[in-house]
Amino acid sequence: MADTKKVAVVHEGKAGRRIAIGACVVFLVIFLVLPLVYILAVAFSDGWLGYKKAVTDEYAVKATLLTLLATVVALAINTLMGLCAAWAVTKFSFRGKKILTTLIDLPVTVSPVIAGLIYVLTFGRQSFLYPYLEKAGIKIIFAVPGIILATVFVTFPFIFRELVPVLTAEGTDEEEAAALMGASFFTIFRKVTFPHMKWALLYGMVLCTARAMGEFGAVSVLSGHLRGKTNTLPLYIELLYQGYDFTGAFACSSILMIFAIIVLILRSALEARGKTEKNV
């Protein structure tokens, strides 16, 4: 009787596993594989020459370069600020720590469109700051600085959130010991802290990059949709689609898809490398 029950449990386990795997495969095929295949099919519907013409168009190239510029600048700023914020939250005790953490998480809960509107109200013509910005020759709304500002806002929490659990688990014992031995701040960071968090930092940078490249809402509000000047690649794709240039829209979409695949490859490589080092 016991053997029969054991066999039944094993069969139920195998059946459950097959159902779970099958459900995942069906979901991925419907919501991921088929859309990607359709993007490529429409992108190459006019042949290779049509695809090449779409992705090498002057405005497509400018939109791609602007997307990369906003991503790189946002990544640099968020890496620095994420490191500082995570270090402050995990290594020091001070009043307002919970408030600081809540504010850092704010971009996750606030709609990107609302974030864009906030910056329009802060730096637009109706703002008290506008006369000073205009006098200094600084233009934020409907300009590249506004796009970068919006991208920084929506991607800020990613690096911070990847670093906090690692730094919290690490504690402060090793750093305090190094400080007692006379090590400087930068030596402690380079020799003690950074080796523990480097993979979390790189992983957070990958997530930040992926989010920055695909940002639409906040950038759309702040950009003004000036073709060749403030249109990022997602905005340019929308412009082509609304103009019924489906081949061009999906061809440019394939560029974002290629960027996404590169980011996923980097993410998988970093995860594998991190697990290898932990096992060693």
Side-chain angles (χ1 to χ4, degrees), residues 151-253:
T151 307
V152 170
F153 177 84
V154 299
T155 57
F156 182 77
F158 288 95
I159 294 176
F160 172 80
R161 273 300 162 197
E162 290 297 322
L163 291 177
V164 166
V166 176
L167 293 178
T168 301
E170 178 192 349
T172 60
D173 293 341
E174 295 182 14
E175 292 158 339
E176 290 174 355
L180 290 174
M181 296 175 65
S184 65
F185 171 81
F186 292 104
T187 300
I188 294 173
F189 178 80
R190 183 167 54 90
K191 296 287 188 179
V192 180
T193 307
F194 184 74
H196 290 289
M197 70 174 187
K198 63 180 179 180
W199 295 117
L201 174 62
L202 291 173
Y203 188 67
M205 292 172 67
V206 168
L207 294 178
C208 179
T209 300
R211 181 68 178 84
M213 287 191 299
E215 172 52 29
F216 181 87
V219 171
S220 178
V221 174
L222 289 171
S223 70
H225 296 270
L226 304 177
R227 181 178 290 196
K229 294 182 179 180
T230 61
N231 263 351
T232 59
L233 200 51
L235 299 182
Y236 182 65
I237 292 169
E238 184 204 26
L239 186 67
L240 292 175
Y241 189 81
Q242 289 181 345
Y244 299 100
D245 183 1
F246 299 120
T247 300
F250 283 97
C252 292
S253 296

Side-chain angles (χ1 to χ4, degrees), residues 9-255:
V9 170
V10 170
H11 283 299
E12 288 179 1
K14 289 182 177 179
R17 181 180 63 181
R18 290 171 182 171
I19 293 172
I21 294 174
C24 290
V25 171
V26 171
F27 181 87
L28 290 174
V29 169
I30 295 175
F31 291 98
L32 184 62
V33 177
L34 287 180
L36 293 178
V37 171
Y38 184 72
I39 288 174
L40 293 177
V42 177
F44 286 96
S45 60
D46 291 339
W48 166 251
L49 293 178
Y51 177 84
K52 182 179 178 181
K53 181 181 178 181
V55 298
T56 57
D57 180 79
E58 176 187 359
Y59 295 121
V61 173
K62 288 183 177 180
T64 303
L65 293 177
L66 180 57
T67 300
L68 293 176
L69 172 64
T71 300
V72 170
V73 175
L75 179 62
I77 294 174
N78 284 336
T79 299
L80 177 61
M81 297 306 298
L83 278 170
C84 293
W87 183 283
V89 168
T90 57
K91 303 300 180 181
F92 304 102
S93 297
F94 55 91
R95 289 182 179 180
K97 181 188 290 190
K98 291 184 178 180
I99 297 175
L100 176 62
T101 304
T102 302
L103 290 176
I104 292 173
D105 287 334
L106 192 62
V108 178
T109 58
V110 173
S111 168
V113 175
I114 295 176
L117 292 174
I118 290 172
Y119 283 122
V120 169
L121 294 175
T122 305
F123 300 107
R125 288 182 178 273
Q126 63 272 44
S127 170
F128 74 94
L129 295 174
Y130 183 79
Y132 302 100
L133 294 173
E134 187 179 29
K135 186 177 181 179
I138 300 174
K139 189 175 182 180
I140 296 178
I141 306 302
F142 304 154
V144 174
I147 293 173
I148 293 175
L149 189 64
T151 307
V152 170
F153 177 84
V154 299
T155 57
F156 182 77
F158 288 95
I159 294 176
F160 172 80
R161 273 300 162 197
E162 290 297 322
L163 291 177
V164 166
V166 176
L167 293 178
T168 301
E170 178 192 349
T172 60
D173 293 341
E174 295 182 14
E175 292 158 339
E176 290 174 355
L180 290 174
M181 296 175 65
S184 65
F185 171 81
F186 292 104
T187 300
I188 294 173
F189 178 80
R190 183 167 54 90
K191 296 287 188 179
V192 180
T193 307
F194 184 74
H196 290 289
M197 70 174 187
K198 63 180 179 180
W199 295 117
L201 174 62
L202 291 173
Y203 188 67
M205 292 172 67
V206 168
L207 294 178
C208 179
T209 300
R211 181 68 178 84
M213 287 191 299
E215 172 52 29
F216 181 87
V219 171
S220 178
V221 174
L222 289 171
S223 70
H225 296 270
L226 304 177
R227 181 178 290 196
K229 294 182 179 180
T230 61
N231 263 351
T232 59
L233 200 51
L235 299 182
Y236 182 65
I237 292 169
E238 184 204 26
L239 186 67
L240 292 175
Y241 189 81
Q242 289 181 345
Y244 299 100
D245 183 1
F246 299 120
T247 300
F250 283 97
C252 292
S253 296
S254 70
I255 298 176

Side-chain angles (χ1 to χ4, degrees), residues 259-279:
F259 287 157
I261 292 173
I262 293 173
V263 169
L264 287 175
I265 292 173
L266 289 174
R267 172 183 170 179
S268 300
L270 291 175
E271 286 182 341
R273 186 69 181 274
K275 289 179 180 178
T276 302
E277 284 203 358
K278 287 180 181 180
N279 292 333

